[in-house]
Amino acid sequence: MTVRIGVITFPGSLDDVDALRAAKIVGAEPVSLWHADADLHGVDAVIIPGGFSYGDYLRAGAIAAQAPVMRSVVDAARGGLPVLGICNGFQVLCEAGLLPGALVRNAGLRFRCIDQQLTVERTSSVWTSRYRSEYDDVRPILIPLKHAEGRYVATEHDLDALEAEDRVLFRYHGDNPNGSLRDIAGICSADGRIAGLMPHPEHAIDALTGPGTDGLGMFSSLMDSLVGAAS
Amino acid sequence: MARVAVDVVIKPEILDPQGKAIQAALARSGHAGVTEVRAGKHFELDVDGAVTDEELERLAGSILANPVIETWTVTRLADGEAR
Amino acid sequence: MARVAVDVVIKPEILDPQGKAIQAALARSGHAGVTEVRAGKHFELDVDGAVTDEELERLAGSILANPVIETWTVTRLADGEAR
Amino acid sequence: MTSTGMTSGGMTTTSTTGNDLTGSEIAQDTVILAAASPEKPQPYAELGLKDDEYARIRSILGRRPTEAELAMYSVMWSEHCSYKSSKVHLAYFGETTTDAMREKMLAGIGENAGVVEIGDGWAATFKIESHNHPSYVEPYQGAATGVGGIVRDILAMGARPVAVTDQLRFGPADAGDTARVLPGVVAGISGHGNALGRANIGGETHFAASYAGTPLVNAGCIGVLRASDMYTAHASGVGNKVVLYGSRTGLDGIGGASVLASATFSDAADGGARRKLPSVQVGDPFAEKVLIECTLELFAADLVAGISDLGAAGLACATSELASAGDGGMIVDLDTVPLRAEGMSAAEILTSESQERMCAIVEPAKVDAFLAVCAKWDVPAVVIGEVTDTGRLVISHRGEVVVDVPPRTVAHDGPVYRRPFHRPDSQDALQANTSANLPRPADDELGGLILRLAASENLCAKGWITDQYDRYVRGHTVLAQRSDAGMVRVDDETSLGLAMASDCNARLTALDPYRGTQLALAEAYRNVATSGATPLAVTNCLNFGSPEDPGVMWQFREAVHGLADGCAELGIPVTGGNVSFYNQTGSEAILPTPVVGVLGVIDDVARRIGPRFGQGRTSEMLFLLGETRDELDGSEWARVVHGHLGGVPPLVDLAAEQRLAGVMAQAAKAGLVTAAHDLSEGGLAQALVEMCVLSDCGAAITVPPPNPFVALFSETPARILVAVPTSRLGEFAQLCEEHSQPSSALGTVTPTRPRLEISGVADISVAEMREAWTGTLPALFG
Ligand SMILES: Nc1ncnc2c1ncn2[C@@H]1O[C@H](COP(=O)(O)OP(=O)(O)O)[C@@H](O)[C@H]1O
Ligand SMILES: [Mg+2]
């Protein structure tokens, strides 16, 4: 079966082409989705890419969360469609209420573009199963990160709940680049199907253009789960 | 036509590095009397007569501010007054 | 100890892309009664008694706002009042 | 938004009622009024026009110009737009470009940006522009709009912008104003540039006292296109529509026209307020990003017959240039232009420098499709005029003709100055004051000196700056910051890549502008070669003081000649450039700063060479390619240790540079070199520090006798430090021999010993070097 992965383009999206390329590399059919079109065109999963949707002029992700396509994404996600928000996409998912918490200005106040080590905290999600190792200790992965508003904040109550429900997907390893609470780099829904993270796995799919290929696992994991489900 | 100000500030329990940096800059340039700064956003809206206080409250709390991290106040300004 | 609000907005003749984008977003989400939005910054300062209005004016115009492109207003808030 | 009712009547009929100064409306200055009131005094001097220039305008028109015409001529005849002081010298680039050099050039000097063929049907275009003064007044917005402007320039060639660069110069790093300017400039480039989705792949950052009141902010952009798809800025095809699209036009940056408003409209309701308008423009990165995507979609759908960006001089520039390069005529109705401010005069609309706008020439049958694409992207677009063959640019406003001029006279027939130039007398003393008498360090001081120089402001790591730039976006970046050259893959379907580097050591151009500029060329050329790419074309951004100073004019002329002669020797053409004069604080000019950019091409990006050794399992040896002479005048050692600038720059040997580039290209192709870094400021010592720290790996070397200080700190050009796998030593030696390339073995890479051991001279840990090299900017800027 062909797996169709949709990637949303908002005005101001930047890394939509990278996400489409990642989908293609793992053997999926990449499908472009347009912000103003509420139709999801029958895709099997949706990626909300990085960038500055609508200029991020109110709060990062806030205006995009109101876009027609997002109303469909919210409904479909509640129905179990796998959804991944990367960077701005993560911000959109929080603003749309699909994930708890918010992303605010980096503690250091500056935009940062660095290669960052992450620990994979949960390997039982559709987005991270490939990082499962024979042993329990998954080695840190190296993924680029680039944002000015990536400090994850949530109430203590929400943070405790995230931990209790095993919904922290990634944590920053080594230096915390933005002051995120509890070093959180990415989280997911309880069933692991809706995920968001600040770093950019789609920029780590080819050693020629990224710091390595550690990001590929996220897209391959999705393929495993979708192809597995179909067969 | 009325003018409305909406001020949004980050909740006190959330770290405000920008406020801190500004406070430090003020202290460095001789304004040590400013002991704390919180940085937020200020919006001025022109709204037509039909817009009620409830609608303003709703749009402030759902769009202009993110209640997870921010608090806000809505103030109708006197005619022509800008803040 | 007093609390002071400083509101900074971009001069009316200078492009305010934020305000424009926010107004469009509000209109799209059913708040068409909002006909114009100007986006600016809102600072809340805690200042000790020795800080005069002149000093506040000076620091607002030199550090909180960029007089080349912005205008500002300084308001002393009533005790404990947050805006 | 449909095509406007551009009836011929509306364009040619002029009413006289508007001339009555009745009511609160102030009559605008029309062509008819101008013809009827020849004696009316006009503020041409305030607009920067000389008496004879004003007289020329009058004789071109056969009457006095209208206010709108005066505004147009004055901005288009300004130094910035007309190149009136530099033109006579820039002609030398053309004179020295041979047919062989021209072979791959599709567009050259005179176009928005030069275009060169790069193989497989692809072409590339690149350019560097200055945004110096605005960045001093308002660092964030000045730098931001600088990046926006250069990207639109590249877009106007029909190219897809793929990468940006920034060349920065500031006052001393610890100077108070640098703490204002530098973070603001970098935040502007970051905030605006990152939002455009174009990877930042390199640049320069230098500090020197002469830039304290005059920082330099240059921004570069590279674009790619199919060679068959080039658009140029011309308006051909009578009846084709002129479409203005992008942001609304406001009162931004109308420095010149506001003089006009204040001089003639001082009684107008808001005349006084407007006069105080700052001449800064505020950028809207979101609008810019959308404009880029919209324009690329217009290109892809083949809806564009000609195109121009709106930069300096706004519509005045775009309309006059498009018209004069095409069929020679155009009519424009300013009443159709979407405005952001009320009551703008024709002069203001024409000279507004509002950002994020483009002007396209569109066949009538394609106008609807064009407007539909703009609507999809929510980009305002209107037809503002039409191409004619009348030889006149006719512009109406409020139903009256306010401009009626031969467009060439505005765009191209500006004044030409032959400004006096002569070598300043002080140059002799400067050159006589060599570094020969400066005390040199003892051998046991060299270790400390290595660290001291590595931490100095010009040599230290620039990560504090470059980590604020997105280098990953769109997934084509192969090399970026921390490499000698940036490199991008042209697109997903090809392995073809472009490399770019830009350089200028202004200390050396101060000592000898001719030779110093050749050294800048040599360094940028070498940086491209170090990455494994083959240098192909050259651009420049010539930043100088006042052209009215004969000494500055001499520096400028020497720089142009040095660059042109150097390019002729290397066989690569100058395809474009930019001149920025009047960079001075009071009467003190900046160090002459001719930034030279070199573009290179590589067939297979997988073969690129980066600066990191010790990454694989093979053992590697380090070689120094090139020969070292005792050349320390103008060096970083002289500056940091002695605060000294004097003497003559190192000798230029372009044949050696060419040989070196040939060796590197072959070595890359054959995979003989695992890492490379060229030697420039700070010499061998600095190259070793950088490679060890970037590689997180040690090296054990022996410096060639007789003088370790000279071996480590001399700044002789034409040298590259390379790492060669021990399994390939034979092939490497043979390659060098075939090219008669001097090469000396320095030592080995030591992955298990993270130290730089220089036999008998120094032994420093990588951690110590990292701390020294990377600590400086964070300590200064937080
Ligand atoms: N302002 C800047 N913007 C982007 N990259 C920069 C900037 N300043 C320095 N760099 C990058 O930092 C690295 C070191 O710069 P530099 O020492 O000038 O290199 P080189 O000596 O090889 O010309 C290069 O990769 C350069 O592109
Ligand atoms: Mg170099």
Side-chain angles (χ1 to χ4, degrees), chain D residues 134-414:
Chain D
S135 304
Y136 176 68
V137 178
E138 218 305 295
Y140 185 101
Q141 295 296 346
T145 50
V147 179
I150 189 72
V151 171
R152 284 196 304 280
D153 250 316
I154 293 302
L155 206 50
M157 296 309 294
R160 173 165 50 87
V162 289
V164 296
T165 62
D166 58 308
Q167 295 70 23
L168 311 178
R169 277 153 185 89
F170 303 103
D174 55 3
D177 201 41
T178 303
R180 170 187 75 98
V181 176
L182 184 147
V185 163
V186 173
I189 295 167
S190 162
H192 199 94
N194 291 349
L196 303 184
R198 273 55 221 176
N200 186 307
I201 61 165
E204 301 173 85
T205 310
H206 290 270
F207 300 92
S210 81
Y211 304 116
T214 318
L216 301 185
V217 175
N218 295 176
C221 185
I222 309 175
V224 300
L225 62 157
R226 300 301 296 175
S228 50
D229 285 351
M230 196 174 70
Y231 293 86
T232 44
H234 56 71
S236 308
V238 172
N240 281 351
K241 301 295 180 188
V242 182
V243 182
L244 176 66
Y245 67 108
S247 297
R248 288 168 172 271
T249 299
L251 290 163
D252 321 51
I254 46 167
S258 61
V259 169
L260 195 66
S262 66
T264 52
F265 287 129
S266 50
D267 301 331
D270 52 0
R274 268 187 210 178
R275 216 179 324 156
K276 295 192 210 87
L277 259 190
S279 61
V280 282
Q281 305 120 43
V282 175
D284 178 350
F286 172 60
E288 179 95 46
K289 158 72 178 162
V290 169
L291 185 70
I292 294 170
E293 299 306 326
C294 175
T295 303
L296 293 176
E297 192 166 325
L298 293 168
F299 289 158
D302 193 23
L303 298 173
V304 178
I307 192 161
S308 171
D309 59 313
L310 272 76
L315 267 177
C317 180
T319 53
S320 63
E321 286 192 350
L322 281 165
S324 64
D327 290 344
M330 187 184 283
I331 52 174
V332 173
D333 179 0
L334 295 183
D335 296 322
T336 59
V337 174
L339 301 179
R340 222 172 56 225
E342 272 166 45
M344 286 178 71
S345 70
E348 288 171 333
I349 298 170
L350 284 167
T351 58
S352 161
E353 296 189 352
S354 287
Q355 300 288 297
E356 295 98 29
R357 299 177 299 160
M358 302 282 286
C359 192
I361 304 300
V362 185
E363 291 169 24
K366 292 180 176 176
V367 167
D368 287 346
F370 187 105
L371 297 177
V373 170
C374 292
K376 172 187 163 188
W377 287 98
D378 260 331
V379 170
V382 287
V383 173
I384 61 164
E386 198 172 297
V387 176
T388 67
D389 58 3
T390 59
R392 311 286 298 184
L393 172 60
V394 180
I395 301 178
S396 65
H397 186 227
R398 295 176 192 150
E400 300 171 313
V401 173
V402 292
V403 172
D404 184 349
V405 297
R408 248 203 99 73
T409 63
V410 179
H412 299 290
D413 300 343

Side-chain angles (χ1 to χ4, degrees), chain D residues 483-485 501 503 523 526-527 530 677-681 690:
Chain D
S483 304
D484 287 298
D503 285 287
E523 186 177 348
R526 188 184 332 120
N527 278 330
T530 303
H677 190 18
D678 81 314
L679 272 51
S680 55
E681 285 106 321
E690 291 178 7

